Amino acid sequence: MISSEEMAVVDANAEALGVPRKQLMESSGNAVARVVREYADPGDSVALVCGRGNNGGDAFVTARFLKEFDVSVHLLGRRETITTDIARENWDALQEAEIDARTVTDSADIELEEPDVIVDAMLGTGVTGALREPEATAAEAINASDATVVAVDVPSGVDADTGEAAGIAVEADHIVTFHDDKPGLAEFDVEVTVADIGIPEAAELFVERGDLQRLSRDPMGHKGDFGSVLVVGGGPYTGAPALSAQATLRAGADLSYVACPETVAREIQGYSENLIVESLPGDHLASPHVPDLLSRAEEVDCVVFGPGLGDHDATLEAVAEFLDAYAGTAVVDADALQVVPDVETDATLVCTPHQGELRKMGGETADDWRERADIVAEFAEELGHTLLVKSAYDVVSDGETTRVNRTGNPGMTVGGTGDVLAGVTGALACVLDPRNAAAVAAYANGRAGDIVVAERGYGLTATDLLEALPKALWPDG
């Protein structure tokens, strides 16, 4: 079962993997035609009521496969308002084939006559809310007909994720949905056909460009809507927490705080005027700092814990105390990772180990990425947290769903790239669930590295990744 949001991601990922949407549309239209044949005899009349998006495009294709029927296609709008190139191309193909294809520019002009079968292809899974005109009047006409109604993907007017309708909705006799069942369809006491349209399994396994669709930003957003992050790090090192904190901003967070020992606070502040640095007494993290950190953590959306902290015994004890008392979202990195398996916490954690750190946590690994993915999934389920295990093939798993990222290159073996990744993950964890935050972060971090190498060759630095991150996350601007 797959949600409408996930289906949109998978569609886009399939295209990124070399399966064009036009090919998927052809398969979808063919699948609908096969179901129509179950309800109609040769010579029967079939009316296809089509919207201006890809749902309508599927039906344009369907019409071409129904040569043995008396077919009419009713486009709700003008040809110029069709929203995608592939749907428009398939509409034009109907004209060239001289199939009866009509435009409906006024809801009062909808004339379905008395067809034997009606195909509802007005709106697909990505549309929610009450039907507007001319779709609302078209739905009334469809429901008033005695024809058998076949809905494409989901009955128009119905939320594919909930099965609920905000107003009038098409009353379907059969639903043809694609790739996987949709949650809301369980609410209907009608036959549902789930059609395999050729989307490869890899479109769900591998993190691809389609996953970036999760990062839509409200144009009416305000400061703070996209998250604030507290990076807890530093002491032995200064660059690591500074890189993580700057990465949170490059990845879209609105505010980035750094809590660090006072001995390194000025140096960390010197990396960027955009960071809000808050100093802790002493030269390393210790138990007396925990109450203050917990108080500060309540004011942000995510904590990134670990960059540059070191492994002083008192520091690791403080990490354990913090996690034991914390109930928010945290990304745990570097030396702080070794504490996680021994702590009972109500926090939502994303752990970002490389394979050596994974072993320190008590996990195992393997050279083959497929075997490693299974091992990581088992360990994530045992821990009860999300794991992002860094390698040439990054593995992300929460124990239920596992994703694999293939972006990145050998130039990223340079120090600091993991600190950048931790910061990106922290920023995305403010707006996405932990698994998706980790998956998109892995993709973007690696993609940033690929952008740098393509432009400048090997010899990149972690600072170079910071500069390339916005382009990696929002390639279309």
Side-chain angles (χ1 to χ4, degrees):
M1 193 168 290
I2 189 168
S3 69
S4 56
E5 177 184 319
E6 290 300 315
M7 191 66 229
V9 168
V10 169
D11 270 344
N13 282 351
E15 186 167 41
L17 291 166
V19 183
R21 293 190 189 217
K22 189 171 184 178
Q23 179 178 326
L24 297 179
M25 185 173 285
E26 197 75 11
S27 298
S28 299
N30 196 0
V32 174
R34 289 197 299 270
V35 171
V36 169
R37 293 189 187 99
E38 297 177 14
Y39 295 99
D41 296 320
D44 282 354
S45 60
V46 179
L48 299 97
V49 184
C50 307
R52 299 176 297 279
N54 282 342
N55 196 250
D58 293 336
F60 300 157
V61 174
T62 298
R64 291 193 281 104
F65 282 103
L66 297 176
K67 299 175 184 177
E68 66 270 40
F69 302 99
D70 179 15
V71 171
S72 61
V73 180
H74 306 258
L75 170 63
L76 303 183
R78 298 181 303 276
R79 185 253 184 207
E80 293 75 19
T81 64
I82 296 174
T83 58
T84 69
D85 291 340
I86 54 173
R88 194 176 304 112
E89 289 170 7
N90 279 300
W91 170 260
D92 292 343
L94 296 179
Q95 314 304 308
E96 292 298 323
E98 297 192 5
I99 292 172
D100 181 6
R102 318 166 189 176
T103 58
V104 179
T105 57
D106 188 326
S107 59
D109 295 335
I110 296 173
E111 293 285 347
L112 299 181
E113 300 168 353
E114 296 181 1
D116 298 290
V117 175
I118 296 175
V119 174
D120 162 33
M122 293 189 290
L123 300 173
T125 57
V127 181
T128 59
L131 291 180
R132 300 178 181 178
E133 294 297 349
E135 288 81 11
T137 296
E140 290 175 351
I142 292 171
N143 292 344
S145 172
D146 292 329
T148 299
V149 179
V150 177
V152 178
D153 222 5
V154 62
S156 295
V158 171
D159 187 313
D161 294 329
T162 66
E164 298 176 352
I168 187 172
V170 169
E171 298 168 3
D173 300 297
H174 194 123
I175 301 169
V176 186
T177 196
F178 308 120
H179 181 63
D180 201 350
D181 204 356
K182 309 304 185 296
L185 300 186
E187 301 298 317
F188 294 89
D189 188 22
V190 301
E191 187 171 354
V192 176
T193 296
V194 179
D196 183 350
I197 57 173
I199 292 176
E201 181 182 358
E204 292 189 73
L205 174 62
F206 294 122
V207 192
E208 287 288 348
R209 180 166 173 155
D211 283 86
L212 298 180
Q213 294 180 170
R214 307 181 194 279
L215 299 178
S216 61
R217 292 171 75 94
D218 184 350
M220 302 302 290
H222 300 281
K223 184 187 292 185
D225 288 354
F226 304 108
S228 56
V229 182
L230 171 65
V231 177
V232 181
Y237 308 99
T238 60
L243 285 168
S244 291
Q246 291 176 90
T248 68
L249 296 173
R250 294 289 184 178
D254 290 330
L255 293 168
S256 186
Y257 301 86
V258 180
C260 62
E262 61 186 358
T263 52
V264 295
R266 181 183 292 272
E267 189 172 349
I268 291 173
Q269 181 69 78
Y271 283 100
S272 174
E273 67 276 15
N274 297 300
L275 307 180
I276 304 169
V277 179
E278 302 173 340
S279 63
L280 305 169
D283 61 2
H284 63 272
L285 182 67
S287 293
H289 301 137
V290 172
D292 184 24
L293 289 176
L294 288 168
S295 178
R296 298 181 192 213
E298 289 180 359
E299 304 301 318
V300 299
D301 299 291
C302 183
V303 176
V304 177
F305 216 111
L309 272 182
D311 60 356
H312 193 291
D313 287 345
T315 296
L316 297 182
E317 290 174 12
V319 174
E321 290 174 23
F322 177 90
L323 295 179
D324 180 68
Y326 185 54
T329 300
V331 175
V332 184
D333 188 43
D335 287 311
L337 287 162
Q338 60 194 285
V339 172
V340 171
D342 299 322
V343 175
E344 291 289 336
T345 179
D346 292 328
T348 299
L349 302 185
V350 180
C351 301
T352 58
H354 55 58
Q355 294 187 71
E357 291 166 334
L358 180 67
R359 291 188 182 95
K360 282 187 177 182
M361 294 175 69
E364 298 178 4
T365 186
D367 292 335
D368 182 82
W369 68 265
R370 295 172 184 83
E371 184 181 352
R372 186 165 67 251
D374 291 337
I375 293 171
V376 169
E378 291 176 7
F379 191 48
E381 183 177 15
E382 179 184 330
L383 283 177
H385 303 301
T386 298
L387 287 173
L388 192 178
V389 179
K390 298 172 284 194
S391 188
Y393 279 43
D394 304 310
V395 176
V396 175
S397 183
D398 59 5
E400 294 184 4
T401 300
T402 299
R403 306 292 306 281
V404 177
N405 173 60
R406 299 180 292 181
T407 60
N409 58 76
M412 296 180 67
T413 55
V414 67
T417 58
D419 301 308
V420 172
L421 176 59
V424 176
T425 307
L428 299 186
C430 295
V431 294
L432 300 177
D433 67 72
R435 186 188 71 243
N436 286 331
V440 176
Y443 175 88
N445 199 56
R447 180 71 187 122
D450 292 339
I451 291 169
V452 173
V453 167
E455 293 178 351
R456 310 180 200 173
Y458 292 125
L460 67 113
T461 67
T463 304
D464 295 328
L465 290 189
L466 292 177
E467 296 300 320
L469 273 173
K471 187 175 181 181
L473 283 161
W474 298 281
D476 298 323

